[in-house]
Amino acid sequence: MAEKRDYYEVLGVTKSASEEEIKKAYRKAAHKYHPDKNQNDATAEAKFKEVNEAYQVLSDAQKKSAYDNLGHAAFDQQAGYGGGGGAGGYGFDVDLGDIFGDIFGGFGGRSKRGGPRKGQDIEVQIRIDFKEAAFGVKRDITFRRNENCSTCSGSGAKPGTSAETCKKCNGSGQIRFQQQSIFGQVTSVKDCDACNGKGKIIKEACKDCGGKGKQMKNVTVPVNIPAGIDDNQAISMSGEGMPGEKGGPAGDLIIHIQVNPHPLFRRNGPDVYCDVPITFVQATLGAEIEVPTIDGKVKISIPEGTQTGRKFRLTDKGIPVLHRKARGSQYVTVNIEIPTKLSKEQKEILKRFDEKSTPDIYQQAKNFFEKMKKLF
C-alpha cells in the first residue's frame, strides 16, 4: 500500500493555518477534483478522496491534535476513525450541506436554490446641475419595477379563484431524495418539479400577469441627493429594487449621478476653481473687484502690481464635503487682459508712459535681460 501523503501537503496549507484557511483550501481542491467535473478519471477520484480524508482530520480540533502529535499512526487502530481503514473511511460525519452547498449549489446537502433570494438591483442614471450637486437636491426618480398585479393582487390566480397547495411537496416547494455518492447514500433537496418550487399550483392563471403575480410598472420614488455629491458617484437606496423571491429581501436602487459642467466654475473634490480677467490698470494700481462664487458674488482686493496668473483663495467658498459640515475653498486665478482696438489718443498715452518708464518697474523683464546679457 502506498505511503499516505502529509495532510497539510494535500491541502496546500501550513500547520499554523486557521480553520477558515483550511476550509478554503479544501473547497478549492474539492472543486478541482470533484467526480462530477472529472468523470471517468480515476486519478482525480483518488485525489478527491485524499483531499476529503485530509479535511476530515484537519477540520476537527481533536483529530487535528492527534495527527499533529502522532501523524497517520493516530488513526491506524481507531475504529471510530474509519474502522481501521484510516481517516479515509466512510465513518466520518461529513457536513456536505455546508461544503458542497457553497461549491456546487447543493450537491449532497440542502439546496439553497429553494430558499429566499434577494431581488435584483435596478440601476438608473440622472443628470443634475453643478449647484444642485454642491448643495443637494430632492428629485423624483421614475423607473420600471416588478409590482403586484393589480388584477389578482399578486396571487397569480384568476380573480375569483385561488392557488392550491401543491400535493407533491405539501406546500414546501421542495422535495427530498436520496442518491448514491462516493460518501455513501446522502439526502438531497431540490425544487419541486410539480410547482416549480413555489409550493402552490395555479389552475386558472390571471390573464393580465400570466400567473406570475407581478407586472412591470412605472414607479416613482423621491430621492434626496446629498450636498457634495460629485460626478460619476452613485447613491444606493436599499429595498427599492426588484422584489425578492420566496420571502427574500428586495434589491437596491442604484442611482448614478452625472453632473452638468458649469460655464464659470471647475471642480476638484470639494474645491472650486474660477478664472477672472482683470485690466492692465487694475493689475498695476490695484483694485477691488467682484468675483462669482457658488454662494453669489463677493469682493476681493487686487494688490498693486498683481501679475497675471496670481491665485487668490476664498476659504469655505467651495463645495460642502459629502456627509460632513466642512466646505472646500474657491481659488480665483486672475488673468490680465491686454486691451485691443485702442484709439489714437490711448495709444499716444501708452507711448508716453513707456518713454517715461525705467527698467526697474518691470522686474521680470529686468531679470530676463540681465540673464541674457550674461549669456550673450
Side-chain angles (χ1 to χ4, degrees), residues 207-242:
K207 293 182 179 179
D208 288 342
C209 65
K212 295 179 181 178
K214 302 288 183 181
Q215 288 179 313
M216 290 295 288
K217 297 180 180 180
N218 285 334
V219 178
T220 300
V221 298
V223 178
N224 288 313
I225 299 173
I229 195 81
D230 208 346
D231 190 40
N232 292 322
Q233 287 188 323
I235 301 169
S236 177
M237 297 185 66
S238 179
E240 292 292 350
M242 288 292 188

Side-chain angles (χ1 to χ4, degrees), residues 198-357:
K198 295 180 179 179
K200 299 282 185 179
I201 293 179
I202 298 173
K203 291 189 175 180
E204 293 186 78
C206 171
K207 293 182 179 179
D208 288 342
C209 65
K212 295 179 181 178
K214 302 288 183 181
Q215 288 179 313
M216 290 295 288
K217 297 180 180 180
N218 285 334
V219 178
T220 300
V221 298
V223 178
N224 288 313
I225 299 173
I229 195 81
D230 208 346
D231 190 40
N232 292 322
Q233 287 188 323
I235 301 169
S236 177
M237 297 185 66
S238 179
E240 292 292 350
M242 288 292 188
E245 296 183 28
K246 299 183 180 179
D252 300 334
L253 174 63
I254 312 297
I255 305 161
H256 297 276
I257 304 297
Q258 300 291 313
V259 181
N260 292 324
H262 195 277
L264 296 179
F265 302 125
R266 303 182 306 279
R267 178 178 176 178
N268 185 7
D271 294 330
V272 174
Y273 296 82
C274 179
D275 295 333
V276 176
I278 61 174
T279 68
F280 166 76
V281 176
Q282 288 173 325
T284 303
L285 302 180
E288 188 175 70
I289 65 171
E290 279 190 337
V291 298
T293 73
I294 60 174
D295 296 305
K297 295 179 181 179
V298 298
K299 291 184 177 181
I300 64 172
S301 295
I302 304 297
E304 181 180 319
T306 292
Q307 302 296 311
T308 191
R310 180 167 177 176
K311 190 177 292 183
F312 297 85
R313 179 184 179 185
L314 306 179
T315 305
D316 293 331
K317 288 296 182 182
I319 306 289
V321 179
L322 190 64
H323 304 310
R324 290 174 55 189
K325 293 183 178 180
R327 287 185 66 169
S329 299
Q330 177 170 322
Y331 293 90
V332 177
T333 301
V334 295
N335 296 304
I336 301 170
E337 184 177 7
I338 304 301
T340 59
K341 299 180 181 180
L342 295 175
S343 67
K344 184 177 180 181
E345 182 181 1
Q346 289 170 327
K347 292 178 181 179
E348 288 297 329
I349 293 173
L350 286 176
K351 285 180 181 179
R352 290 198 301 272
F353 169 78
D354 191 51
E355 289 171 355
K356 294 182 178 293
S357 298

Side-chain angles (χ1 to χ4, degrees), residues 7 13 23 34 47 61 63 68 78 80 86 99 156 164 190 215 236 240 259 334 342 353 361 371-372:
Y7 287 151
V13 296
K23 190 173 185 179
H34 192 272
K47 285 185 176 293
K63 297 172 188 175
D68 288 345
Q78 296 187 38
I99 300 300
E164 298 179 359
K190 68 177 181 179
Q215 288 179 313
S236 177
E240 292 292 350
V259 181
V334 295
L342 295 175
F353 169 78
I361 68 172
K371 291 177 182 177
M372 187 175 72

